[in-house]
Amino acid sequence: MKIIILGAGQVGGTLAEHLASEANDITVVDTDAERLRDLGDRLDIRTVQGRASFPTVLRQAGADDADMLVAVTNSDETNMVACQVAHTLFHTPTKIARVREAAYLTRAGLFDNDAIPVDVLISPEQVVTHYIKRLIEIPGALQVIDFAEGKAQLVAVKAYYGGPLVGQQLRQLREHMPNVETRVAAIFRRDRPILPQGDTVIEADDEVFFIAAKANIRAVMSEMRRLEENYKRIVIAGGGQIGERLAEAIESRYQVKIIEMNPARCRYLSDTLDSTVVLQGSASDRDLLLEENIADADIFLALTNDDEANIMSSLLAKRLGAKKVMTIINNPAYVDLIQGGDIDIAISPQLATIGTLLAHVRRGDIVSVHSLRRGAAEAIEAIAHGDSKSSKVIGKAIRDIGLPPGTTIGAIIRDEEVIIAHDDTVIATGDHVILFLVDKKHIRDVEKLFHVGLSFF
């Protein structure tokens, strides 16, 4: 696939890295020569220096015969104009744009083909807000991913000493919970992936990814660790777009406080939000945190744009007694360094956004792609189309499907039913198939499995 990526920042660079390793023809456009040089030295891609919305620059990047344009520069307006130019002059089939400003996103009809022709809108703030909201709803989870509109969920938890299943073989999970269907999709032990078998023994500190129907998630979690009580009191550091959206989404169910430095922003938040308490000050102010009883907080969320400020305020909040801290980290190099110590969960907006982008770049009918373990693995939701003659998966039992190495099928969603996958489970047309890959170099082989042969048409 020939793909033009506009913007060589964190999202554009990470996306180029993912796609270049999968035999795509990638061109990255940016005004920053140094960034382009760095990408070009590391990856097998073309680079073009120039303004992303200029017709001459897009033509130089190969827009005449590009299959897809992904506009992820720092400017909403540049991204939108680039999609307009690609549509009008080059008839680019698929145009994806990152648009952050809510004022654009709330206008119905603005992104239709006869207005601003954008096929897929990506809002990082919306993606990250939804990601954090799911973590709040399932206390103790390290990562939560919805499939088939939330009917099934893939959840990562850390196994603790004393968990009923810790020190036992996976096959005993069925004996512990005879009425609950679940499947352990993968285990990460000391940062190395283990493909689970029936005789695999779960050890303390393993990061366990399991899939189950949404209603059964907490029951399965209780086998790995002591269940945490539902959260009640939440403190958010940073009243920017993510802080505001998250408070708006959860304030009816939780006691929420926002700490924000900017007085004008505080006034705006006070007028906009219903029951959230807005405090003007610094989240790194020890006296302010003590005054606001930070020791009673179930979660402290650091959501500013400043990594260092997020890390320092999170460490202080944890030291002062906050039960759990989650922190947004924009620099991916920091994420692995800090998660799991005093900071319980580090959230990378780039990786959350990349998953949304990848779902639209994958071949075959891929509904969603999720980056796991900070990009080390992927979970994919694919729809099986065709019939037993035109499809490589339909009508076959899972044991007879030639899955690539390091790939497992965790579950199938058929209409409203969540079917946990076993060797004798047969895939039918229209099934949503949830796959887990610990080796992303086989992504193309997975996509080919879900291609429909020409005989179907």
Side-chain angles (χ1 to χ4, degrees):
M1 192 182 286
K2 187 170 183 179
I3 303 168
I4 300 173
I5 299 172
L6 307 180
Q10 293 280 12
V11 171
T14 309
L15 182 63
E17 205 167 323
H18 274 76
L19 298 178
S21 64
E22 297 167 11
N24 292 291
D25 180 357
I26 306 295
T27 303
V28 178
V29 178
D30 201 285
T31 53
D32 190 323
E34 196 173 329
R35 273 185 186 169
L36 291 176
R37 194 162 43 249
D38 176 54
L39 275 179
D41 289 344
R42 288 191 295 112
L43 307 173
D44 182 18
I45 59 171
R46 283 183 65 229
T47 60
V48 173
Q49 187 182 357
R51 290 283 295 277
S53 57
F54 284 8
T56 50
V57 173
L58 289 175
R59 176 166 277 119
Q60 191 183 345
D64 284 313
D65 59 349
D67 300 299
M68 180 179 291
L69 179 90
V70 183
V72 287
T73 74
N74 288 327
S75 164
D76 288 353
E77 290 74 18
T78 298
N79 294 340
M80 293 189 291
V81 171
C83 288
Q84 180 74 69
V85 172
H87 174 79
T88 305
L89 297 184
F90 304 110
H91 312 293
T92 306
T94 305
K95 299 161 294 295
I96 299 174
R98 176 171 67 176
V99 178
R100 286 192 157 114
E101 186 50 61
Y104 291 129
L105 297 170
T106 52
R107 306 304 298 178
L110 181 61
F111 296 101
D112 293 342
N113 263 358
D114 54 358
I116 300 172
V118 177
D119 301 299
V120 181
L121 276 171
I122 304 289
S123 166
E125 287 75 17
Q126 281 182 352
V127 172
V128 173
T129 300
H130 186 54
Y131 185 96
I132 297 170
K133 183 169 174 277
R134 286 193 306 246
L135 287 172
I136 291 171
E137 289 168 347
I138 303 182
L142 295 173
Q143 193 165 1
V144 181
I145 293 166
D146 287 337
F147 294 109
E149 298 171 344
K151 295 185 185 76
Q153 289 183 319
L154 181 72
V155 175
V157 294
K158 194 170 191 177
Y160 281 99
Y161 287 106
L165 203 63
V166 176
Q168 300 195 46
Q169 293 184 348
L170 275 180
R171 61 167 57 95
Q172 292 175 275
L173 191 57
R174 186 176 285 273
E175 296 168 21
H176 282 239
M177 298 186 300
N179 301 319
V180 174
E181 280 279 294
T182 185
R183 183 182 175 103
V184 173
I187 296 169
F188 282 85
R189 181 172 297 159
R190 293 180 283 279
D191 290 331
R192 296 187 60 129
I194 296 171
L195 272 182
Q197 309 290 336
D199 58 356
T200 303
V201 175
I202 293 180
E203 296 181 4
D205 291 333
D206 281 356
E207 203 168 309
V208 182
F209 285 83
F210 68 87
I211 191 163
K214 189 174 183 177
N216 295 331
I217 292 296
R218 280 180 70 81
V220 182
M221 283 180 72
S222 68
E223 291 295 308
M224 315 288 174
R225 51 175 297 143
R226 182 176 56 80
L227 277 182
E228 296 183 19
E229 291 182 15
N230 287 327
Y231 303 133
K232 293 177 186 171
R233 290 170 290 276
I234 295 171
V235 176
I236 297 172
Q241 288 210 37
I242 294 174
E244 179 194 350
R245 288 182 187 201
L246 181 64
E248 195 173 31
I250 66 174
E251 64 179 354
S252 61
R253 296 175 53 197
Y254 304 92
Q255 298 169 30
V256 182
K257 293 178 181 177
I258 289 183
I259 301 173
E260 166 60 40
M261 277 289 286
N262 186 312
R265 184 69 181 169
C266 286
R267 284 192 293 276
Y268 165 80
L269 292 170
S270 297
D271 293 340
T272 306
L273 298 169
D274 291 333
S275 58
T276 298
V277 175
V278 181
L279 305 164
Q280 199 257 312
S282 167
S284 299
D285 182 338
R286 185 175 186 276
D287 293 336
L288 175 61
L289 292 179
L290 288 171
E291 193 179 311
E292 293 303 325
N293 302 313
I294 192 67
D296 293 336
D298 295 309
I299 310 182
F300 177 88
L301 291 153
L303 308 181
T304 77
N305 288 324
D306 185 324
D307 285 356
E308 285 75 15
N310 286 344
I311 292 168
M312 295 311 294
S313 63
S314 296
L315 293 174
L316 179 61
K318 194 66 178 274
R319 190 70 50 88
L320 295 176
K323 295 177 186 66
K324 178 160 287 190
V325 295
M326 298 185 199
T327 307
I328 278 188
I329 301 295
N330 289 291
N331 184 342
Y334 287 178
V335 176
D336 285 329
L337 289 175
I338 65 167
Q339 176 159 301
D342 285 340
I343 292 173
D344 298 287
I345 298 178
I347 298 157
S348 167
Q350 285 78 20
L351 285 177
T353 306
I354 288 297
T356 310
L357 286 165
L358 288 175
H360 301 286
V361 178
R362 300 293 189 219
R363 295 179 175 91
D365 195 350
I366 306 293
V367 180
S368 62
V369 176
H370 301 276
S371 189
L372 309 174
R373 287 281 308 175
R374 278 84 70 198
E378 279 188 4
I380 295 175
E381 178 182 348
I383 302 177
H385 291 297
D387 54 29
S388 57
K389 291 179 183 172
S390 60
S391 166
K392 296 182 179 74
V393 297
I394 287 174
K396 287 188 175 180
I398 287 172
R399 70 163 73 88
D400 299 324
I401 296 170
L403 290 171
T407 304
T408 56
I409 292 177
I412 292 163
I413 294 102
R414 185 173 294 160
D415 299 323
E416 297 300 309
E417 185 185 6
V418 177
I419 302 165
I420 298 303
H422 299 290
D423 284 348
D424 56 355
T425 304
V426 176
I427 294 176
T429 188
D431 282 354
H432 287 239
V433 182
I434 314 304
L435 301 105
F436 191 96
L437 284 81
V438 295
D439 190 345
K440 293 192 300 183
K441 74 181 180 192
H442 295 297
I443 185 72
R444 279 284 173 263
D445 300 323
V446 172
E447 289 172 1
K448 285 174 187 170
L449 283 175
F450 288 87
H451 273 168
V452 179
L454 291 174
S455 61
F456 181 62
F457 302 100

